[in-house]
Amino acid sequence: MMKRACLSAAGSILFLASTLFGRSSLTPDQISQKLLLQPPAAAVKEANASKAKGIDVKYYTVDFDGSGNFNYILAFYSIHEVNDGVYFRLFKKNGADLVLAGNQGDDAGAGGWGIQCRLLDVNGDGIPEIYCTSTTASGRDELFQLYYWNGTEFVDMFAKSDIEQGGFYDLYGDGKLELVTPNAVKGYDVLKPVGGDYKFVKSYLNDPTGSTASDGRLNYVRSTCKRLDPPSFILEEIQKARGDSEGSGDPDATVRLKFGGLQRVHGGAVSLNDVDPSTIIISPTLKPVRVGIPSHGDEAKDGQSKDNDDKDAEKDGMSCTTRSRMIVEVSRRDFLKNLQRLKLDGPLAAGDTVEVKLRAKLRDGTPLSATFTAAIIDHEDSRQEKAH
């Protein structure tokens, strides 16, 4: 198995440090300086062996204990100008100090070609795993590594197997991401996360996600007309909803996700009547309280109105009227609680935007998706929006 790196020399991600209800007492530069004083021994050894000029560090602010306080710093150490390894360390914030909480379970830096690394919650528990992808030297195949935090160290979940290819999908709508990996004899194998491991479920002759047709071509439907109502949410209201087990606000209030202009990636338009409403899920696990298609008389409520989410439809020359969309309503209280789970790399803050994904299937099993953008605002922004 080739070595892989979690951050390429060309790629960079900005990691912000803050807590859920207030900014950290440390600035990003101060955090970086403190992290550079505590590099892993394996990174130091590699830097000395390669006669590098130094060690670089980037980091995420994360919630690794489920408290919602984002009191941990997940650091990625790499060798300056040498793209052949990245090493993880986890620190806990203690006032102005960073206390080491744990390391990688081995000394081998993750590394490889065209490396990308992001946080992914595969167990559906709100605590992220580290998902790294890279390509083989030929660029033909994508490989992956998946690390989980066991409370004391990061463990490569597939280190003891020969599995290094595949994709992660929520096949059963329970918020847990199954691994779908190619099987040269049987077609596809599906494995399900169980604690800190993945267990085999079954093999499928055809792609169990439905996204690959029998002829090998991509098979999915995208929505070109998308609208979130309301499009923005007040940070304080989100925080209150998350902190109150009974929720806050009107328990009957809803958020509406409107989608339409359905197009197959290979093929033509798809009727909204072909959508199976029972399969609709708003990530990670929200189910609708109501689903419907407006009648002709309801069209005047917002007529031909468009917003930024309809730019794809305009590009395709499509009209996004109310009647051309399916309207999905979810509990506003649950939606607010759900927003932070969609952002794993730091606490929500005013000015953030969060991607909200709707997943469903057509009645023939073809997967459908629509991505909405929710803006996080403060009270002042809310007053300005109402004034306009």
Side-chain angles (χ1 to χ4, degrees), residues 1-4 111-115 133-144 164-165:
M1 183 183 297
M2 68 183 292
K3 244 184 149 189
R4 307 169 196 149
W113 295 89
I115 196 68
T133 59
S134 61
T135 60
T136 56
S138 66
R140 293 179 180 176
D141 298 307
E142 183 177 82
L143 310 175
F144 78 87
E164 56 183 3
Q165 290 183 276

Side-chain angles (χ1 to χ4, degrees), residues 66-143:
S67 67
N69 292 323
F70 290 84
N71 284 327
Y72 290 85
I73 299 292
L74 174 58
F76 295 84
Y77 293 88
S78 59
I79 312 307
H80 186 63
E81 295 184 345
V82 178
N83 184 30
D84 66 353
V86 168
Y87 306 83
F88 315 137
R89 296 198 104 177
L90 187 67
F91 296 84
K92 187 169 185 179
K93 291 186 287 186
N94 182 17
D97 295 325
L98 298 180
V99 180
L100 181 64
N103 293 292
Q104 266 177 265
D106 57 54
D107 291 335
W113 295 89
I115 196 68
Q116 299 289 329
C117 184
R118 65 188 177 96
L119 299 181
L120 192 68
D121 180 9
V122 301
N123 291 301
D125 58 3
I127 298 175
E129 282 70 43
I130 304 172
Y131 175 56
C132 304
T133 59
S134 61
T135 60
T136 56
S138 66
R140 293 179 180 176
D141 298 307
E142 183 177 82
L143 310 175

Side-chain angles (χ1 to χ4, degrees), residues 228-234 237 332 373-377 381-382 385:
L228 182 63
D229 181 19
S232 58
F233 302 87
I234 299 172
E237 187 180 359
R332 180 182 176 87
T373 300
I376 311 303
I377 62 175
D381 294 329
S382 177
E385 281 190 356

Side-chain angles (χ1 to χ4, degrees), residues 192-245:
K192 190 173 185 66
V194 179
D197 200 0
Y198 263 82
K199 303 294 186 182
F200 175 77
V201 177
K202 65 182 298 185
S203 296
Y204 292 83
L205 180 62
N206 297 314
D207 182 358
T209 70
S211 58
T212 305
S214 57
D215 60 3
R217 295 199 306 172
L218 287 177
N219 177 52
Y220 68 87
V221 171
R222 69 186 184 97
S223 169
T224 58
C225 297
K226 295 165 291 183
R227 192 171 182 181
L228 182 63
D229 181 19
S232 58
F233 302 87
I234 299 172
L235 179 61
E236 184 179 355
E237 187 180 359
I238 296 169
Q239 293 168 345
K240 286 181 178 179
R242 292 189 65 224
D244 184 355
S245 60

Side-chain angles (χ1 to χ4, degrees), residues 222-228 258-261 263 304-321 325 371-373:
R222 69 186 184 97
S223 169
T224 58
C225 297
K226 295 165 291 183
R227 192 171 182 181
L228 182 63
K258 308 174 185 180
F259 71 95
Q263 292 281 321
Q304 300 286 334
S305 62
K306 297 181 176 68
D307 59 17
N308 289 335
D309 286 336
D310 288 332
K311 286 182 178 178
D312 286 343
E314 292 177 354
K315 195 187 323 179
D316 295 340
M318 300 190 67
S319 173
C320 289
T321 63
R325 309 189 210 207
T371 302
F372 304 81
T373 300

